[in-house]
Every structure is written in C-alpha cells, then in structure tokens.
C-alpha cells in the first residue's frame, strides 16, 4: 500500500504542484496561458488526436507521429553510421589517433549550426533534417561503442585467439556480444538527442510535426498550443527513453 | 625427439624506460603424451611462459617447436585452460564448448558439433547443465566446462595455467582427479604442460616436475621425474616414500631462492617451507615482518 502511494500518488502530487506554480506564474505574465486555458484551447488536438484539418492543423498524435517517423529515420541513419565508426575507433589505435580529435570537435556542434549546412548541401528540407538528426545524434553511439570495444577484457581476446576463432567468429561471437550493452547505452542517449534535434530542425524547416506546429502557433500568437507541444515533446521523449532503457536492461541482464 | 621443445626463450617487458627481464634462457622439452608441471613462486614468470607456449605472447628470443616445427603464433591442435575459466558469459555452457568445436572442426555440421560438445560436457559430469550460462554455475562447474571445452577440440597439446588455484580445496581435489582421469581416458597422447604453485597437485598429475627459479630472469631448473604409479591419490602421496622425497627436493630447491632474497630487500628469510603447500611468496614475506 505504501509503495503504491509512493509510486503513483507522489508523482501526481508533483505534477499538481508544478501545475499550481504554472498557474501562479500565468497570473503575473499576461501572455502565458494558464493550465486551464491551455487545456480548453488545446483539447481539440488531444481529444481528436488523429484528425487532419490542414497541413499543420492536425491532431497531436498525428503531428507527433510525423516527428517520430522523421526521428526514426535520422536516428537509424546515425546508428548505421555511428556503430561501425565506434568499432573502428575502438579496434584500431591508428584510426583512433587519426579521427578521435575530429569526433571530439564535431560532437559539441549544435543542430542549429548543422541545419543550414544541410539545406545548402541537399537543397531540400527533409534530407537536411535527417542529415542534422543523424549527425547530432550519432556521437553517443560512436563514443559508447568505442569505449565498449576498448573495455573488452583481455581474457576474451585470449579465448578468441587460443580457440583460433576466425575473424568473423571473433566479431560475431566475442566482439559484438561483449560490446552490445555499451552500444545500447549509446543508442538510448542517441535517441534522446535525436528527439531534441527534431524540434529545432522542424522549426527551421517548417515541416509538419510537433516542432513545426509549435513554431507556426508561435507565429500565429496561439500560445496555448506552444505549451501543448512542449508537454507532448516531453512525454514522447520520456516514453522513448523508458523504452530504450527497458531494452538496455534486458541486454545487461542477459550478460 | 621431444614433442614440445622450447629453446632459449627470453622475454622482457618494457615499463617506461626500464625493461624488466622476466624469462631468461628457458629450455624445456616434453615428450609426446607426457604431463609436465612447472612449479614456482607467484609472480616468477610462469604465466608469461605458458602464454608464450600458447602463442599469446611472442618471445624476444628463442623458439618454441612442436613435433619439430617452429611455431609462430597460436599452435594448431593446442588447447588452453586458464585460471579464471575464461568462458564467454553470453553463451550457455554447451554453446561455449560448441564454439570451440566449431573453430577446431569447421567442416563438421552443427549437429555433429553439438554432439561432440554434449559428449565432453557429460564427461565432466555436467550433462544436465548445458543450457546454463556461466554466471549460473559455481566456480568448480565453470572450470569443468573450461576443461571440457579444451578436450572437446581433441588437442594434442594442453596448456593449463594454474587451472585450480581459484577453487576451494575440496572442489580442487575432485577436479584434479577428474583431469587425471580425462588425460588417461582420452585414448590418444595429450602432451600437457601445467603451471601451478601447488606441489601436491603437481605430484598427483605429473610425469615430471620442473621447478622454476624466482624472477626476474626466471628460468627452469632440472626436471624431476615422478615415478609413482597411477592412479594416485592425495592421501597416498602424503606417505609415499618417493613422493616425500620429491616434495622435499623441490621445497629445498625453492627455499634456496627464498634465502637469496633479491638485493634491496633487507629481510632475513626464515621460512619453514615444509609446512607450506602453496609456494606463494606472500605468506613467507609476512613471516619476515
């Protein structure tokens, strides 16, 4: 009983308290909608989540699904590029010496800086957005895969050698299983970043999705919808992280 | 001609600007099917030697020859049992063995490989534990799996690096007997080199015992033949005249090295090695303090 109270009721109390603070602040800031006004102005998007009324004027689940689909593509591209790069950096000292400085320099660059470059290179907003998501989100995958490979105990390498495993066997039976938990930690962090980047890239490219909608409603002075988008982004991001966290935990248990 | 022949092997390790000479002019020759134990202090370079024999380390000079051929890298038809079991934790016990079988006999089909793995798992008494992961097995069971993995590849050469030192005394005694049984039952000559710091273990299993001098610049001394009929038991070896004589000889030999503590250490060693089965360096050093 006590644990149920702690795990369900306490978080609800937290939500309620933050709502109160929001309500209090909104009485002081004229343009900030109160929680109740936010709900009354946004409920059509929430209650008819799959309704499509116009290019941007769509139910919140539809909007989120556009963003998620874009994130999925960009994230997968990042994983496909980042995982082999991580393996190479972890396996080869030469490769590491050559490219680690570049990785460290590229890593902190904001999506807002990459996006214009993507637009210049690809001329279209969609590939530019994917390029930005992939390029920003791949680094945790690269870094974690690399450190996973580097932290494989010498005894596993020795086993692979004395058993005279082939290169392919060593890769698939030793290297990948030993690195997998690290890789998934990287994937989880990468997905989080991909979701962060999506909003910025949609804002700048004006494509339909949660971020695009947010920016359009800001320009249309419908501030309640900004809050709706912010909450949606947060909830979806949280669910994504929990999902990846679950997979990660399963992998670590099985090792 | 000896099956395994080590000629003048030396090895140094570079740490910073100083090179530490671990092995100096090690010579060893083991006839086919013989079981040789190398006994010596912890940290004397035994593991370095077995890593060189197993091809995991390259000697600075000298050669390792098997059946007359100089070997570079991992020798074919050799198996190694490590002190820390070294099973892959993401595979079941059976799959760990099957992977070794797959690498040794790549042209066998999967069913035959599984049958081979199962056969050797049953030989070490773990027929029912094939699906368990190493983390679900006790230390003794893990080492059984590691031994089964080694024998399942049908090696002609077997290297054992302190295989039982991480186990409790009872499990260790059981596994020693098991290993002796496996070596005799396997039906073809398996030339074995075991590294150990346990003299009783060496007496139980070996045809020859070779004491290793204390490092740095460790080398092997004259082999001592163990002419005690098999099967041997631990209690029999406590009183057997030959065993007592050999034990005394080796302990005296190793004790000489305890008295000549390396320069820089002012300690006056006054060990009573006969009471010490395990020739670890540390307890003796403690007595000096």
């Amino acid at each position: 009983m006590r644990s149920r109270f702690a795990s369900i009721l306490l978080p609800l109390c937290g939500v309620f308290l933050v709502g109160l603070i929001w309500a209090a602040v909104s009485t002081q800031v004229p343009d900030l909608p109160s929680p109740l006004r936010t709900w009354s102005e946004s409920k059509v998007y929430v209650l008819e989540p799959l309704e499509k009324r116009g290019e941007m004027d769509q139910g919140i689940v539809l909007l989120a699904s556009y963003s998620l689909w874009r994130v999925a593509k960009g994230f997968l591209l990042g994983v496909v590029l980042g995982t082999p790069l991580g393996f190479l950096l972890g396996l080869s000292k030469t490769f590491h010496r050559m490219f680690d400085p570049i990785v460290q320099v590229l890593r902190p660059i904001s999506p807002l800086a990459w996006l214009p470059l993507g637009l210049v290179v690809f001329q279209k907003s969609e590939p530019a957005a994917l390029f930005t998501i992939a390029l920003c989100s791949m680094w945790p995958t690269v870094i974690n895969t690399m450190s996973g490979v580097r932290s494989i105990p010498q005894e596993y390498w020795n086993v692979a050698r004395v058993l005279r495993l082939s290169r392919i066997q060593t890769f698939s039976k030793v290297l990948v299983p030993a690195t997998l938990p690290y890789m998934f930690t990287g994937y989880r962090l990468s997905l989080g970043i991909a979701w962060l980047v999506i909003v910025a890239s949609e804002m700048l490219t004006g494509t339909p999705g949660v971020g695009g909608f947010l920016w359009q409603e800001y320009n249309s002075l419908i501030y309640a919808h900004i809050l709706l988008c912010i909450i949606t982004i947060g909830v979806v991001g949280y669910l994504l992280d929990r999902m990846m966290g679950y997979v990660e935990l399963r992998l670590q248990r099985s090792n | 001609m000896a099956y395994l022949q080590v000629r003048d092997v030396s090895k140094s390790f570079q740490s910073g600007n100083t090179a530490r000479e671990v092995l100096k002019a090690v010579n060893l020759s083991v006839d086919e099917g013989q079981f040789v134990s190398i006994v010596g202090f912890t940290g004397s370079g035994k593991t370095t030697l077995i890593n060189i024999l197993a091809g995991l380390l390259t000697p600075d000079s000298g050669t390792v020859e098997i059946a007359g051929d100089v070997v570079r890298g991992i020798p074919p038809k050799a198996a190694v049992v490590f002190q820390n079991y070294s099973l892959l934790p993401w595979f079941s016990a059976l799959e760990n063995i099957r992977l070794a079988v797959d690498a040794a006999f790549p042209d066998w089909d999967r069913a035959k490989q599984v049958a081979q793995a199962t056969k050797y798992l049953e030989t070490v008494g773990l027929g029912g534990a094939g699906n368990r992961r190493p983390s679900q097995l006790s230390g003794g069971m893990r080492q059984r799996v590691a031994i089964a993995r080694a024998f399942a590849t049908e090696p002609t050469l077997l290297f054992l690096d302190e295989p039982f030192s991480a186990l409790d005394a009872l499990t260790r005694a059981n596994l020693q007997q098991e290993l002796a049984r496996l070596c005799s039952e396997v039906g073809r000559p398996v030339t074995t080199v075991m590294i150990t710091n346990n003299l009783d273990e060496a007496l139980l299993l070996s045809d020859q015992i070779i004491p290793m001098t204390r490092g740095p610049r460790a080398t092997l001394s004259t082999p001592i033949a163990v002419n005690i009929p098999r099967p041997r038991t631990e209690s029999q070896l406590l009183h057997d005249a030959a065993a007592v004589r050999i034990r005394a000889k080796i302990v005296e030999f190793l004790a000489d090295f305890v008295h000549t503590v390396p320069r820089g250490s002012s300690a006056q060693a006054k060990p009573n090695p006969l009471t010490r089965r395990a020739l670890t360096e540390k307890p003796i050093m403690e007595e000096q303090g």
Side-chain angles (χ1 to χ4, degrees):
Chain A
M1 217 37 222
R2 208 186 144 69
S3 69
R4 181 174 294 178
F5 172 77
S7 66
I8 296 174
L9 235 52
L10 281 181
L12 285 179
C13 289
V15 171
F16 183 72
L17 277 176
V18 172
L20 273 185
I21 295 169
W22 172 8
V25 174
S26 70
T27 60
Q28 303 302 313
V29 184
D31 279 339
L32 180 68
S34 70
L36 281 176
R37 217 182 103 209
T38 304
W39 170 246
S40 64
E41 285 184 22
S42 317
K43 65 181 178 204
V44 61
Y45 293 94
V46 181
L47 296 176
E48 295 170 25
L50 299 171
E51 203 61 38
K52 184 167 180 173
R53 287 173 292 267
E55 206 211 352
M56 277 295 182
D57 191 13
Q58 303 187 32
I60 199 69
V61 169
L62 267 186
L63 287 172
S65 71
Y66 299 145
S67 298
L68 273 174
W69 180 235
R70 205 167 285 128
V71 159
K73 286 191 281 187
F75 166 70
L76 278 178
L77 188 62
V79 162
V80 165
L81 294 173
T83 311
L85 185 60
F87 272 115
L88 285 173
L89 283 169
L91 284 172
S92 159
K93 277 208 174 89
T94 315
F95 196 85
H96 185 264
R97 288 227 178 88
M98 266 167 93
F99 291 108
D100 188 58
I102 298 178
V103 169
Q104 301 304 336
V105 167
L106 293 182
R107 206 156 58 101
I109 297 173
S110 152
L112 298 171
W114 284 120
L115 197 67
L117 185 68
L119 287 169
V120 168
V121 173
F122 295 103
Q123 303 285 327
K124 277 186 193 154
S125 64
E126 194 66 24
L130 295 186
F131 162 80
T132 308
I133 295 167
L135 216 54
C136 288
S137 69
M138 69 192 273
W139 306 118
T141 298
V142 172
I143 306 276
N144 275 280
T145 307
M146 176 183 84
S147 62
V149 171
R150 293 183 141 204
S151 57
I152 296 177
Q154 185 59 39
E155 66 171 286
Y156 296 156
W157 293 118
N158 284 352
V159 168
R161 288 178 64 197
V162 299
L163 294 183
R164 303 169 69 91
L165 297 185
S166 67
R167 272 170 184 276
I168 294 168
Q169 280 173 324
T170 305
F171 181 77
S172 65
K173 307 279 183 179
V174 180
L175 191 56
V176 171
T179 318
L180 211 56
Y182 290 84
M183 272 158 62
F184 264 82
T185 304
Y187 293 167
R188 182 168 63 83
L189 297 172
S190 284
L191 189 59
I193 291 184
W195 186 244
L196 278 179
V197 171
I198 187 73
V199 178
S201 72
E202 283 179 356
M203 276 177 157
L204 286 179
T205 56
T207 40
V210 188
F213 181 61
L214 191 157
W215 192 244
Q216 185 203 264
E217 298 307 276
Y218 165 69
N219 288 324
S220 327
L221 312 178
I222 309 174
Y223 300 143
H225 294 167
I226 296 179
L227 288 156
L228 169 71
C229 289
I230 288 176
I231 292 167
T232 309
I233 291 162
V235 169
V236 172
Y238 171 75
L239 292 177
L240 283 179
D241 192 68
R242 287 303 293 264
M243 193 183 75
M244 290 300 278
Y246 178 74
V247 176
E248 197 185 337
L249 201 70
R250 288 294 295 269
L251 277 170
Q252 276 162 358
R253 286 232 182 96
S254 68
N255 262 336
Chain B
M1 191 186 61
Y3 184 70
L4 172 68
Q5 183 81 52
V6 177
R7 286 185 215 276
D8 281 325
V9 159
S10 298
K11 180 76 188 173
S12 310
F13 288 106
Q14 199 78 27
S15 59
N17 288 324
T18 53
R20 203 163 48 86
E21 221 176 352
V22 178
L23 296 177
K24 178 80 178 173
V26 171
N27 285 286
L28 170 69
S29 78
V30 186
D31 288 335
E32 186 162 31
Q34 275 219 313
F35 194 119
V36 168
S37 290
I38 294 169
V39 296
F41 295 98
T42 318
S44 60
K46 300 192 304 281
T47 295
T48 305
L49 176 60
I50 203 111
N51 281 344
I52 288 173
L53 294 179
L56 291 169
L57 282 175
T58 319
D60 297 338
S61 62
T63 55
V64 177
E65 290 165 33
I66 292 164
D69 298 323
V70 175
V71 178
R72 306 207 181 285
I74 311 289
K77 302 298 282 172
V80 186
V81 176
F82 297 98
Q83 180 181 359
N84 54 6
Y85 327 125
S86 293
L87 301 173
L88 300 175
W90 41 84
F91 289 136
S92 66
L94 189 73
E95 184 59 20
N96 263 288
I97 303 174
R98 197 205 60 86
L99 180 62
V101 175
D102 187 20
F105 307 104
D107 44 338
W108 287 11
D109 62 39
R110 198 184 170 87
K112 196 173 176 191
Q113 291 173 354
V114 171
Q116 173 89 346
T118 310
K119 180 181 142 197
Y120 279 88
L121 202 57
E122 279 164 2
T123 312
V124 296
L126 287 178
N131 286 327
R132 288 206 238 162
R133 297 278 181 95
S135 58
Q136 297 167 305
L137 300 171
S138 68
M141 289 160 100
R142 284 184 218 182
Q143 197 58 298
R144 277 168 200 266
V145 176
I147 289 169
R149 175 173 70 181
F151 276 93
T153 61
E154 301 184 359
T156 59
L157 261 174
L158 187 59
F159 300 118
L160 310 167
D161 183 10
E162 303 203 20
F164 310 120
S165 65
L167 305 173
D168 63 273
L170 219 64
T171 313
R172 183 188 306 191
N174 279 337
L175 267 178
Q176 286 161 356
Q177 289 294 353
E178 201 114 325
L179 181 67
R181 189 174 55 80
L182 263 168
C183 286
S184 66
E185 276 178 6
V186 77
R188 64 201 134 71
V190 180
T191 311
T192 308
V193 178
M194 178 172 77
I195 296 287
T196 182
N197 58 20
N198 186 310
L199 205 43
D200 294 330
E201 187 169 287
L203 279 167
L204 190 73
L205 295 163
S206 320
D207 298 305
Q208 278 188 3
I209 298 176
I210 308 177
M212 189 168 207
T213 68
R214 186 165 162 151
R217 288 185 296 285
T219 193
L220 295 177
S221 110
T222 322
I224 298 162
V226 184
N227 295 315
I228 303 169
R230 287 189 171 93
R232 307 167 184 164
T233 66
E234 202 143 341
S235 52
Q236 167 208 341
L237 290 174
L238 280 176
H239 308 293
D240 184 281
V244 170
R245 214 167 41 242
I246 294 165
R247 186 182 288 121
K249 203 170 166 184
I250 296 169
V251 167
E252 266 168 36
F253 174 86
L254 292 166
D256 280 348
F257 282 91
V258 177
H259 288 296
T260 55
V261 182
R263 268 172 303 171
S265 160
S266 60
Q268 288 286 310
K270 194 178 171 292
N272 185 1
L274 284 166
T275 62
R276 299 221 171 271
R277 295 280 166 74
L279 300 165
T280 50
E281 194 169 354
K282 212 164 169 233
I284 295 171
M285 298 302 279
E286 274 166 8
E287 283 179 1
Q288 300 160 0

